[in-house]
Amino acid sequence: MKALVYRGPGKRSWDEKPKPKLQERTDAIVRIVKTTICGTDLHIMKGDVPTVTDGRTLGHEGTGIIEAAGEGVTNFRSGDKVLISCITSCGKCDFCRKGMYSHCEPGGWILGNRIDGTQAEYVRIPFADTSLYHIVEGADFEALTMLSDIFPTGFECGVLNGQVKPGETIAIVGAGPIGLATLMTSQFYSPAEIIMIDMDQNRLEVSKKFGATKVINNSDGKAIEKVMEITGGKGVDAAIEAVGIPASFDTCQEIVAPGGRIANIGVHGKSVSLRLEKLWAHNITLTTRLVDTVTTPMLLKTVLSGKLQPKQLITHRFQISEIMKAYDTFGNAAKENALKVMLTNE
Ligand SMILES: NC(=O)c1ccc[n+]([C@@H]2O[C@H](COP(=O)([O-])OP(=O)(O)OC[C@H]3O[C@@H](n4cnc5c(N)ncnc54)[C@H](O)[C@@H]3O)[C@@H](O)[C@H]2O)c1
Ligand SMILES: [Zn+2]
Ligand SMILES: [Zn+2]
């Protein structure tokens, strides 16, 4: 079969690899139907994720059809249509029993990281019973592929941890796929004001279509002043960080209102400075989280009912054999006006 293989920092290839086989009784082999590329894959390509080694098939998002299931798999059989979670969970360890699948002892984020991932014609999924979700007849594979990672991430790490409430004023710093998924799912809770901050004017225009009430282009570095102006000097109830750099974390620290929450989503490679000399007296809450994908069943229902329309984030479509080109497009997101690129394995 063919797979997108990481060959060390800056190097990747679309290569022939052996088709994966069942290794444990709880494994399933899935034939990929749709997959996509994540911002985290670009972090990996830069060499920022040391657990990813030369020869690894990348990808942690996708939908497909079960090709084979181990004898210990009771919930799925071959031919079933499935959504693959970016987080693998055994369902049995202490962390899984707390609903914290991200820290599952034998699982967690392993796909396209410690084991071969979904940017291939086939993938092996460990603990299939608790790491896959059924796709019902007639449901849209492309829409559901958005639920492997970005929607649970925006919702769990941003909206739930940010405790967004009706009538509140919130700000989302970063209007990439994750920031936009946060914007869309925050509206389950009807905040009164949603301020989106980015430097990419196209992404801000998209944000307006998806429900942002105010957008701020931070190219001039004046986002903080503008948020304070909009909020009459008070700041926002929830400041959600969806970039992963010190500057965007600083924006959140400066704009959070007394009693507010800073919900960090971004993957940070560098240390940030916490302004405790100001924040200690402000009754704020700061949260961090690796997505657990514990809300996937709920998000699936909102997509099936049409309440949530994640397909709107797909801007480009390719055959999986064109994945090298798809990486170039996604890697030049600002120039290409790219959000999510959808890859089809026919
Ligand atoms: N916590 C988790 O479990 C988890 C899961 C998936 C992704 N992530 C992380 O979430 C972050 C966002 O992901 P994405 O795919 O949307 O990334 P992205 O790179 O597509 O989007 C980031 C956006 O931030 C904007 N930006 C850059 N600097 C800014 C600044 N100073 N102020 C405002 N905006 C700024 C960029 O223009 C871009 O549109 C990444 O760090 C990603 O690795 C975290
Ligand atoms: Zn991801
Ligand atoms: Zn576990």
Side-chain angles (χ1 to χ4, degrees):
M1 69 154 191
K2 290 282 196 170
L4 191 282
V5 184
Y6 174 73
R7 296 287 178 203
K11 287 184 248 144
R12 55 179 148 79
S13 55
W14 177 242
D15 266 351
E16 196 60 37
K17 267 195 142 181
K19 202 173 144 182
K21 292 196 186 85
L22 295 172
Q23 290 177 15
E24 306 285 339
R25 306 173 64 246
T26 45
D27 286 353
I29 305 298
V30 178
R31 183 175 75 78
I32 293 292
V33 173
K34 303 277 176 182
T35 185
T36 177
I37 307 171
C38 176
T40 305
D41 296 322
L42 301 181
H43 279 298
I44 294 172
M45 283 311 306
K46 281 195 241 151
D48 289 350
V49 186
T51 45
V52 183
T53 50
D54 191 335
R56 175 73 60 241
T57 299
L58 299 187
H60 50 265
E61 297 166 275
T63 46
I65 297 172
I66 305 253
E67 171 94 353
E71 45 192 45
V73 177
T74 56
N75 199 18
F76 297 94
R77 60 178 69 165
S78 65
D80 283 355
K81 299 178 180 127
V82 291
L83 161 64
I84 301 166
S85 172
C86 67
I87 300 293
T88 302
S89 62
C90 74
K92 292 180 178 162
C93 72
D94 284 352
F95 290 118
C96 281
R97 297 301 291 262
K98 281 191 216 166
M100 209 201 284
Y101 304 155
S102 57
H103 290 265
C104 171
E105 284 164 34
W109 174 42
I110 56 173
L111 272 184
N113 176 9
R114 293 170 189 274
I115 66 169
D116 284 343
T118 56
Q119 289 165 7
E121 291 173 319
Y122 295 88
V123 62
R124 181 180 71 90
I125 303 295
F127 307 110
D129 273 340
T130 36
S131 307
L132 295 173
Y133 296 88
H134 284 283
I135 296 183
V136 297
E137 207 46 52
D140 187 320
F141 278 71
E142 290 195 346
L144 294 183
T145 301
M146 303 291 108
L147 297 195
S148 287
D149 175 358
I150 64 168
F151 276 83
T153 296
F155 183 59
E156 294 174 11
C157 310
V159 178
L160 291 185
N161 277 19
Q163 298 173 42
V164 177
K165 293 182 198 67
E168 285 195 338
T169 296
I170 70 167
I172 300 166
V173 184
I178 301 278
L180 292 169
T182 309
L183 166 66
M184 289 163 85
T185 54
S186 71
Q187 291 165 68
F188 293 155
Y189 297 99
S190 308
E193 195 87 87
I194 311 174
I195 307 168
M196 290 296 287
I197 306 171
D198 202 297
M199 273 97 87
D200 181 330
Q201 194 56 34
N202 171 59
R203 290 183 166 190
L204 292 174
E205 295 306 324
V206 171
S207 302
K208 283 191 212 158
K209 281 193 214 133
F210 293 167
T213 58
K214 300 262 180 351
V215 298
I216 297 176
N217 189 321
N218 192 29
S219 305
D220 58 4
K222 296 215 167 105
I224 297 164
E225 289 95 309
K226 286 178 187 161
V227 171
M228 288 324 226
E229 211 175 286
I230 293 170
T231 58
K234 288 197 195 72
V236 298
D237 300 305
I240 301 175
E241 199 286 340
V243 188
I245 58 171
S248 48
F249 185 78
D250 285 341
T251 304
C252 292
Q253 306 194 63
E254 296 297 333
I255 63 175
V256 66
R261 287 85 54 196
I262 299 174
N264 184 81
I265 310 177
V267 172
H268 289 263
K270 281 204 195 101
S271 180
V272 303
S273 63
L274 182 65
R275 291 208 46 205
L276 213 47
E277 77 286 4
K278 172 186 162 196
L279 295 175
W280 75 269
H282 280 199
N283 306 26
I284 68 134
T285 302
L286 167 63
T287 63
T288 72
R289 188 168 187 176
L290 175 58
V291 63
D292 290 299
T293 66
V294 74
T295 61
T296 304
M298 181 285 261
L299 291 169
L300 256 166
K301 289 181 194 163
T302 64
V303 174
L304 295 177
S305 71
K307 172 90 185 153
L308 187 67
Q309 299 187 348
K311 222 175 145 170
Q312 298 177 86
L313 291 190
I314 303 168
T315 52
H316 294 73
R317 287 180 171 80
F318 298 92
Q319 291 301 313
I320 200 168
S321 55
E322 301 172 297
I323 192 167
M324 294 292 280
K325 201 165 102 194
Y327 259 89
D328 293 336
T329 302
F330 188 65
N332 280 307
K335 193 172 133 258
E336 304 281 349
N337 286 346
L339 288 168
K340 285 300 265 187
V341 300
M342 185 53 59
L343 296 146
T344 303
N345 179 31
E346 262 164 8

